Amino acid sequence: MSNQHLSPLRVPLVSESRTLGQLTEEICAPMERAPTWKWWAAFAIAVSVLGTGAGIVAYQVGTGIGVWGLNKTIGWAFDITNFVFWVGIGHAGTLISAILFLFRQKWRTSINRAAEAMTLFAVMCAALFPVIHMGRPWLAFWVLPYPNTRGSLWVNFRSPLLWDVFAISTYFTVSAVFWYVGLIPDLATVRDRLKAGVKKAVFKVLSLGWTGSHRTWSRYETVYLLLAGLATPLVLSVHTIVSMDFATSVIPGWHTTIFPPYFVAGAVFSGFAMVLTLMIITRVVLGYEHLITIRHLENMTKVIIVTGGLVSLAYATEFFIAWYSGNPYERFAFMNRAFGPYAWAYWIMVTCNVVSPHLFWFKRIRTSPAAIFALSLVINVGMWFERFVIIVTSLHRDFLPSSWSMYTPTMVEVGTFIGTFGLFFTLFLLFVRVLPIISIGEVKSVLGFARSEPGHGDAHPPARPAAAHEAPTEDASGRHTPPLAIATRKDVPV
């Protein structure tokens, strides 16, 4: 494959020439070789942060959530902020896997596996905060509508908080099934590479008897397509329902119909930023620059430009509607956000989410991994502050000035939030060691994209198109030979 010709119009999705066997070796290498000291160092840091967070959670469960900085006015703050933040982070995985798959975007093949795993880990982190906020996490199963002996104590189906339970659990289940189904061909590849032992037996069970036959691939692609169609509405519905936690209330700053599309755009915005953060690190540490190319990074920055523009439009629309409505409470809520005690948080949000994404309009920036990495971190910070601003600034000054209050997070709340990053990166690092981080089968399917073998089309001069009046000729054997077909676009190597 060393003499391949590149298309002058398209950029290959695998930037270096590789055989199918070489691709398999490179993607399976992190699983089969001993972990490096860099991996051990990162894993030790992640586990340490996770352990610290677990200790803090145990302390607040044993003591009570009075150790948080909440008060009578501000009953929601850091916990719900972090919940919405992590749910948003998990949106990019399903969008990359399902929606881009349905639109036949081939560039997703190198990043979809890691993005799907990121979705599952982010939802796990998000689920911790409502459970902790219950105060008695061992009774968390009470939110499930199952037959019980508690009499009239029953879940409120009209509450958006119960809708969250159904939305998040459904999203996690479908995403996990979608991720696992996509793994099956690669699990079989790993199974066939292993020697007899416990590990081979485990992969043999997980691969579900995959044979790689034409019938197996046909049924697999059908199931994958159906799951993609099933997962696509969840990308829109989950954060829509999360937004209804606020939109169905009567609190100024929350009671607005723009929240569902606003939250969905923000979720995709922050999710792609986190995918960029992880993929840039992964491509350098594992040496996957030829698999996760600059084109992949550039395409994701273009998605960020679009969703960042939608988020900016939502910010402007909120202020316009607050003024246009003539409601003094709505006007005060938004003026308080921009110029009140928490104005510093609001302007950090605006700077990170409105100003910084426009730097990606410059090709030099959106093709520089260092610049993309820095801006992805900035966007993640900005999206966390967006949730903080929406929740805290709308609550701390409500209808009665006598109940106005301020909120300051305690070290317990900060430690819990940092601990979820420890959980997230611990799971991601284990995923890199245990499973293929890139879809082997899907990357092989795009290996020839924008490449042509020498001798296939361009090594020979194109045939002379037949004139319309030419009749079939007769060869030496007496058989009629049809006129030469006119070359079509498919005959041109790309």
Side-chain angles (χ1 to χ4, degrees):
M1 298 180 68
S2 59
N3 294 323
Q4 287 177 331
H5 299 277
L6 301 182
S7 166
L9 303 177
R10 299 187 179 121
V11 179
L13 295 175
V14 179
S15 61
E16 297 179 7
S17 296
R18 290 289 190 275
T19 64
L20 300 180
Q22 288 173 331
L23 273 182
T24 303
E25 292 288 341
E26 290 177 347
I27 297 174
C28 291
M31 303 169 53
E32 298 173 347
R33 67 190 179 200
T36 63
W37 69 268
K38 294 180 181 179
W39 185 91
W40 280 115
F43 186 70
I45 294 172
V47 170
S48 300
V49 174
L50 172 60
T52 304
I56 293 173
V57 170
Y59 167 73
Q60 58 190 314
V61 170
T63 308
I65 60 174
V67 297
W68 291 356
L70 304 178
N71 51 57
K72 292 182 179 179
T73 302
I74 306 171
W76 281 3
F78 232 61
D79 53 329
I80 304 299
T81 298
N82 299 333
F83 165 74
V84 179
F85 171 78
W86 279 116
V87 172
I89 291 295
H91 265 56
T94 308
L95 186 142
I96 290 172
S97 301
I99 295 180
L100 296 185
F101 172 76
L102 294 177
F103 281 98
R104 296 294 188 261
Q105 296 298 305
K106 295 182 178 181
W107 61 269
R108 58 176 280 283
T109 53
S110 293
I111 59 175
N112 66 323
R113 176 71 51 74
E116 291 168 15
M118 187 194 75
T119 292
L120 300 178
F121 304 152
V123 172
M124 291 179 189
C125 294
L128 290 175
F129 290 98
V131 172
I132 297 171
H133 198 179
M134 291 176 182
R136 295 178 175 86
W138 53 90
L139 298 179
F141 64 92
W142 280 17
V143 301
L144 302 175
Y146 67 96
N148 61 75
T149 58
R150 294 192 293 272
S152 59
L153 184 60
W154 190 246
V155 294
N156 182 8
F157 285 97
R158 293 177 296 177
S159 171
L161 300 180
L162 183 64
W163 305 346
D164 277 348
V165 174
F166 295 136
I168 301 302
S169 58
T170 303
Y171 183 57
F172 181 83
T173 303
V174 173
S175 297
V177 172
F178 194 43
W179 178 64
Y180 175 67
V181 169
L183 269 170
I184 292 175
D186 292 354
L187 294 174
T189 299
V190 177
R191 173 201 65 194
D192 296 339
R193 292 173 58 86
L194 292 172
K195 297 179 181 179
V198 176
K199 193 172 181 180
K200 184 180 181 69
V202 171
F203 276 90
K204 185 176 181 179
V205 172
L206 293 177
S207 58
L208 304 180
W210 178 273
T211 61
S213 66
H214 180 273
R215 176 180 294 180
T216 303
W217 273 108
S218 177
R219 291 177 176 174
Y220 163 81
E221 291 175 355
T222 301
V223 171
Y224 197 82
L225 178 64
L226 292 174
L227 285 174
L230 182 63
T232 296
L234 292 176
V235 177
L236 305 176
S237 66
V238 172
H239 228 54
T240 295
I241 292 175
V242 170
S243 73
M244 291 179 182
D245 293 350
F246 312 101
T248 55
S249 71
V250 295
I251 301 295
W254 289 2
H255 189 63
T256 173
T257 56
I258 199 177
F259 265 25
Y262 171 20
F263 271 54
V264 171
V268 176
F269 184 53
S270 61
F272 266 87
M274 181 61 82
V275 171
L276 279 170
T277 302
L278 292 178
M279 290 296 96
I280 290 173
I281 296 174
T282 301
R283 71 192 293 270
V284 173
V285 173
L286 298 181
Y288 285 164
E289 287 92 343
H290 60 293
L291 297 176
I292 305 171
T293 64
I294 296 297
R295 183 187 174 186
H296 291 92
L297 303 182
E298 187 177 6
N299 285 344
M300 285 190 279
T301 60
K302 291 176 181 178
V303 175
I304 286 179
I305 291 174
V306 174
T307 52
L310 294 175
V311 170
S312 303
L313 177 63
Y315 293 165
T317 303
E318 281 187 312
F319 261 87
F320 173 76
I321 294 300
W323 167 80
Y324 189 73
S325 67
N327 187 327
Y329 299 105
E330 287 286 339
R331 289 183 178 181
F332 175 80
F334 284 93
M335 293 301 292
N336 182 57
R337 282 185 186 178
F339 304 106
Y342 290 106
W344 57 273
Y346 178 83
W347 292 110
I348 288 176
M349 175 193 78
V350 170
T351 303
C352 295
N353 296 343
V354 177
V355 178
S356 65
H358 289 292
L359 295 174
F360 286 136
W361 286 105
F362 300 98
K363 189 174 182 65
R364 179 176 296 180
I365 292 179
R366 69 173 184 264
T367 55
S368 168
I372 295 172
F373 181 76
L375 287 173
S376 69
L377 293 177
V378 168
I379 290 170
N380 278 317
V381 170
M383 288 307 297
W384 186 90
F385 272 101
E386 178 198 287
R387 282 64 182 251
F388 180 83
V389 166
I390 289 174
I391 294 168
V392 175
T393 62
S394 299
L395 289 175
H396 88 112
R397 288 184 173 178
D398 56 10
F399 296 99
L400 297 176
S402 60
S403 64
W404 288 2
S405 181
M406 294 294 291
Y407 167 77
T408 302
T410 64
M411 292 304 297
V412 172
E413 293 172 285
V414 175
T416 303
F417 180 48
I418 295 175
T420 57
F421 279 98
L423 173 62
F424 181 83
F425 285 107
T426 297
L427 293 173
F428 191 81
L429 288 167
L430 289 174
F431 162 66
V432 171
R433 291 289 309 154
V434 175
L435 296 170
I437 193 173
I438 293 177
S439 177
I440 302 173
E442 292 195 73
V443 171
K444 287 180 179 179
S445 70
V446 299
L447 184 60
F449 183 81
R451 298 177 186 273
S452 64
E453 294 287 355
H456 181 68
D458 59 331
H460 302 285
R464 178 182 62 86
H469 61 275
E470 285 185 342
T473 59
E474 191 174 61
D475 59 13
S477 62
R479 290 178 301 181
H480 290 285
T481 303
L484 296 173
I486 298 176
T488 63
R489 187 68 183 173
K490 291 185 292 185
D491 301 314
V492 180
V494 293

